[in-house]
Amino acid sequence: MKMIRLRIDGKLVVAPEGTTILNAALKAGIYIPHLCYMEMKEVGYKNDCASCRICVVQVKGMSRLVPSCTTPIKEKMEVITNSPEVMHKRRVVLELMLSDHPKDCLICGKNGECELQKLAISFGIREMRFEGKEGRYDKQYSIAITRDTTKCIMCRRCETMCENIQGCGILTGVDRGFNVIVNTAFNRNLLETDCTFCGQCVAVCPVGALYETDNTFRLVEDLMNPNKKVIVQVAPAVRVAIGELFGVEPGIDMTPKLVTALRKLGFDAVFDTNFAADVTIIEEATELKERVLSKLKGEKGVKLPLFTSCCPAWIRFVELNYPELRDNLSSTKSPQQIFGAISKEFWTREKEIERKDLICVSIMPCTAKKYEASREEFAIDGIPDVDYSITTRELGRLFKQYNIDLLEMQDEEFDSPLGESTGAADIFGRTGGVLEAAIRTLYEWLSDGKLEDLDYVNLRGFQEVRVAEIEVTGIKLRVAVVHGLGAARKLIEDIKSGKEYFDAIEVMACKGGCVGGSGQPYHHGNFEIVKKRAEGLQDIDYRKELRESNENESVMKLYDRYIGEANNEVAHRLLHTHYFDRKNHK
């Protein structure tokens, strides 16, 4: 690769040919403010529309300022990032942007996390020199995502993510001139579109135009209600990310302190979603085993590949775009919903609590989990299995409101028995983890032998699609892992055209899996943070004495006492679900 030598603010910088001035400067430790630009090379995301012009710089020999995010470096180029002309231009651009932006920062969903707000602080803007007409749009609420289009700054990050990475095309630039904005077609509410609520638009939005619908006040009210028992379940991806909100490096397991903090917040019991993840594997591996054996017997109509069903954004994506594949989806509920069903069916019985008096809250790395909890099929007599979900970010804010310093908490363990789990459950939070966990158990069931090496490294990594072939006592399985809905769409089309065949496929909507979920602390395009979270989960798996879901004694006792055999009538009533054709929902 040819290397280019240039000077930025007098400093000699060497970077590969094709690098932009912005990236060359940032790599050299020279900060250039930017707003619309965001890049995650590992997942193919790049938003470089150069719409904000905050990143303009001066290049010797050029008559005008240029956007550093789209201007490639050249040999012997001399760049000035801090000349009076550059600084004046940036300030004027920022002031003009603020002149058409709401001033309700105190109640904004991104207050404290807003990149526009941080720029205004860094530039020391204390008054508005420009006044004029301000665009106004009604705020739109959905169960998972709130849209405040008035705050859109046309950076187009959300549009790029939704169209190019997720392949959904829900958000796009509409109108012209002063009225141009990123919006849905005909200004529809997200629930009226083909939105999957994956929330990756929320994850990249620099301002308060998109943010998760907040459930924290609802939680506070429930915790104060003496007539309710409030329990909480914690997803695996949360424990390796929430520490970031308190200055901890990504990937550090905060489980013991998180449990204590949740008790201090006022929950009556603190449980682990991982318990339900182990149950998910028992049911899902049973499904896969039965379908594979049916195929080997030559039975007709066997639905393969079997797709995983843990990701609600992926489920809604299938219902909206490929309803003909509904029978290929595992009917097993997600761990969030399995936990809710078990807690309200069995835990209430053990504790002599009426179903209506139990509030089950989930802490999730994802906005789609809010939508999933609200689905009508996950309720009995109008009482949901999971009452509502809050994100990692929401929980972090709540801790800070209550002066709960996560780092100062003593180490405690989850309550029993719904807090016990194996390492297989922990890796649910990273791409490839669900399928790897299922194969650990499936292998033993098909071979009737103990598996010596539990690490299916071919299923790990961050390539868009990973393929592996596994042989068990003469039975050959071809499996795949895919993350990102756009990549899933491509793979489905290849399967439908006959180019590919698989027995099982894991799909997660978010790049990196749940560790890269839209409810996690913002990584601002630094995918290394997502990787570290995934490594953190893998480390937890390595440390566990038990690493196969079928080794979870508490889960096995649950089956012995209440359920019986996996995939039986009782299991299907409580732990399985069905899906809908939503293709013509509009």
Side-chain angles (χ1 to χ4, degrees):
M1 182 181 295
K2 183 180 179 181
M3 303 300 289
I4 303 297
R5 296 162 61 89
L6 71 155
R7 289 192 177 275
I8 303 178
D9 293 341
K11 180 180 180 179
L12 179 63
V13 175
V14 181
E17 186 177 26
T19 304
T20 63
I21 294 174
L22 176 60
N23 281 330
L26 293 175
K27 187 110 178 173
I30 302 170
Y31 179 69
I32 298 176
H34 51 282
L35 198 53
C36 63
Y37 178 82
M38 178 177 275
E39 182 175 13
M40 290 182 280
K41 291 181 181 179
E42 296 87 346
V43 298
Y45 175 82
K46 187 176 183 179
N47 188 66
D48 58 353
C49 58
S51 62
C52 74
R53 300 289 169 163
I54 292 292
C55 72
V56 292
V57 295
Q58 189 174 359
V59 177
K60 188 176 181 179
M62 299 189 73
S63 59
R64 60 183 179 82
L65 302 181
V66 298
S68 62
C69 66
T70 56
T71 306
I73 60 175
K74 294 181 180 179
E75 190 68 34
K76 296 183 179 180
M77 177 184 273
E78 292 186 29
V79 179
I80 302 174
T81 71
N82 53 6
S83 70
E85 182 182 0
V86 167
M87 301 305 289
H88 175 72
K89 177 68 72 175
R90 287 179 189 163
R91 185 182 182 91
V92 169
V93 167
L94 182 58
E95 286 182 298
L96 287 171
M97 198 176 291
L98 291 170
S99 71
D100 185 33
H101 197 79
K103 312 303 185 292
D104 59 346
C105 296
L106 292 176
I107 57 173
C108 176
K110 285 280 179 73
N111 186 24
E113 295 283 357
C114 174
E115 294 177 46
L116 182 64
Q117 185 182 54
K118 290 176 181 177
L119 277 177
I121 293 171
S122 68
F123 275 79
I125 295 177
R126 296 292 179 264
E127 58 181 332
M128 301 302 302
R129 294 190 298 156
F130 306 112
E131 294 183 5
K133 180 182 177 182
E134 294 184 19
R136 289 293 177 205
Y137 299 85
D138 291 336
K139 189 180 290 188
Q140 291 186 355
Y141 298 91
S142 75
I143 192 67
I145 297 171
T146 298
R147 293 175 58 236
D148 192 353
T149 309
T150 300
K151 293 176 181 172
C152 177
I153 60 172
M154 281 301 291
C155 70
R156 319 212 52 161
R157 287 188 191 177
C158 61
E159 181 183 1
T160 301
M161 177 59 75
C162 188
E163 177 66 32
N164 298 349
I165 303 302
Q166 298 298 67
C168 294
I170 307 304
L171 300 169
T172 187
V174 299
D175 224 321
R176 294 185 177 185
F178 181 81
N179 295 318
V180 69
I181 208 75
V182 173
N183 205 346
T184 59
F186 305 108
N187 194 33
R188 288 194 182 106
N189 188 289
L190 290 176
L191 193 59
E192 299 170 344
T193 71
D194 286 353
C195 176
T196 66
F197 300 109
C198 73
Q200 286 301 301
C201 56
V202 173
V204 298
C205 179
V207 292
L210 292 157
Y211 56 93
E212 69 266 43
T213 301
D214 197 316
N215 285 328
T216 53
F217 187 70
R218 181 179 176 184
L219 172 59
V220 170
E221 289 187 312
D222 283 332
L223 291 172
M224 292 173 57
N225 188 340
N227 299 317
K228 299 290 182 181
K229 288 285 185 182
V230 187
I231 64 173
V232 64
Q233 55 165 310
V234 183
V238 174
R239 66 204 64 192
V240 291
I242 192 165
E244 297 166 37
L245 300 174
F246 295 84
V248 175
E249 282 293 309
I252 302 300
D253 179 17
M254 300 300 293
T255 304
K257 296 184 183 302
L258 179 57
V259 170
T260 310
L262 288 167
R263 289 198 179 108
K264 192 174 181 63
L265 200 57
F267 285 102
D268 294 294
V270 180
F271 294 128
D272 198 348
T273 308
N274 284 1
F275 176 91
D278 279 332
V279 176
T280 297
I281 289 302
I282 301 300
E283 294 298 321
E284 203 164 80
T286 300
E287 277 190 88
L288 182 55
K289 175 185 174 182
E290 291 177 353
R291 296 194 194 195
V292 168
L293 293 179
S294 295
K295 170 194 166 187
L296 292 174
K297 292 176 183 176
E299 296 181 13
K300 295 182 179 180
V302 179
K303 296 293 185 180
L304 291 173
L306 178 70
F307 290 102
T308 58
S309 55
C310 298
C311 174
W314 154 243
I315 294 298
R316 183 167 162 86
F317 179 83
V318 172
E319 291 178 327
L320 289 165
N321 297 279
Y322 299 99
E324 67 276 13
L325 296 179
R326 283 174 293 159
D327 290 340
N328 289 79
L329 292 168
S330 166
S331 64
T332 305
K333 293 177 181 179
S334 74
Q336 171 180 268
Q337 296 307 134
I338 283 181
F339 181 91
I342 290 173
S343 65
K344 293 204 174 181
E345 180 77 12
F346 302 131
W347 192 77
T348 51
R349 197 181 305 177
E350 293 280 349
K351 299 297 181 180
E352 299 182 346
I353 302 171
E354 290 191 38
R355 181 185 177 93
K356 65 180 180 63
D357 294 328
L358 181 67
I359 301 295
C360 178
V361 180
S362 68
I363 312 298
M364 292 286 145
C366 172
T367 53
K369 287 295 181 182
K370 294 173 180 282
Y371 160 75
E372 181 184 52
S374 74
R375 287 178 63 126
E376 292 181 359
E377 67 270 25
F378 296 138
I380 297 177
D381 297 329
I383 302 173
D385 293 334
V386 176
D387 292 270
Y388 51 89
S389 175
I390 68 175
T391 64
T392 310
R393 288 193 302 267
E394 286 176 272
L395 181 62
R397 290 196 294 266
L398 202 56
F399 281 159
K400 291 177 181 179
Q401 289 172 23
Y402 279 69
N403 290 326
I404 297 174
D405 187 344
L406 193 62
L407 306 185
E408 296 297 321
M409 296 294 104
Q410 298 294 316
D411 292 356
E412 295 181 5
E413 295 182 355
F414 286 111
D415 290 308
S416 182
L418 304 185
E420 298 173 16
S421 64
T422 69
D426 288 290
I427 59 175
F428 260 60
R430 63 155 173 83
T431 175
V434 176
L435 191 55
E436 181 173 346
I439 289 173
R440 290 178 186 180
T441 293
L442 180 65
Y443 191 100
E444 290 199 12
W445 285 353
L446 290 175
S447 65
D448 293 323
K450 189 68 179 175
L451 190 60
E452 293 183 7
D453 186 1
L454 297 175
D455 299 305
Y456 286 90
V457 293
N458 289 343
L459 298 177
R460 299 176 187 176
F462 296 94
Q463 298 90 347
E464 199 168 64
V465 178
R466 278 108 60 206
V467 176
E469 293 187 355
I470 298 162
E471 185 171 348
V472 188
T473 60
I475 301 174
K476 292 183 178 180
L477 300 177
R478 193 162 192 266
V479 300
V481 172
V482 56
H483 57 137
L485 293 176
R489 187 188 293 275
K490 293 175 190 174
L491 191 61
I492 290 172
E493 294 299 333
D494 284 345
I495 293 169
K496 292 180 69 175
S497 67
K499 292 180 181 179
E500 287 282 12
Y501 172 82
F502 298 98
D503 294 293
I505 300 175
E506 178 203 294
V507 183
M508 291 191 181
C510 300
K511 290 297 187 179
C514 301
V515 287
S518 57
Q520 296 278 65
Y522 295 112
H523 55 70
H524 300 295
N526 184 357
F527 199 72
E528 287 300 317
I529 292 175
V530 178
K531 288 182 177 179
K532 289 179 180 178
R533 295 171 186 166
E535 291 168 2
L537 289 179
Q538 191 57 62
D539 287 341
I540 298 174
D541 173 38
Y542 286 144
R543 294 197 306 268
K544 289 279 184 75
E545 181 180 349
L546 303 177
R547 299 180 62 200
E548 297 169 81
S549 295
N550 49 296
E551 295 179 329
N552 187 327
E553 292 185 4
S554 292
V555 167
M556 293 300 102
K557 288 178 181 178
L558 174 75
Y559 276 89
D560 290 341
R561 183 169 184 179
Y562 291 114
I563 299 175
E565 295 293 323
N567 224 7
N568 67 7
E569 184 178 344
V570 176
H572 267 270
R573 178 175 64 85
L574 286 173
L575 310 178
H576 290 251
T577 185
H578 54 279
Y579 307 107
F580 301 90
D581 181 349
R582 302 182 192 273
K583 196 164 189 176
N584 299 309
H585 68 107
K586 295 187 287 295

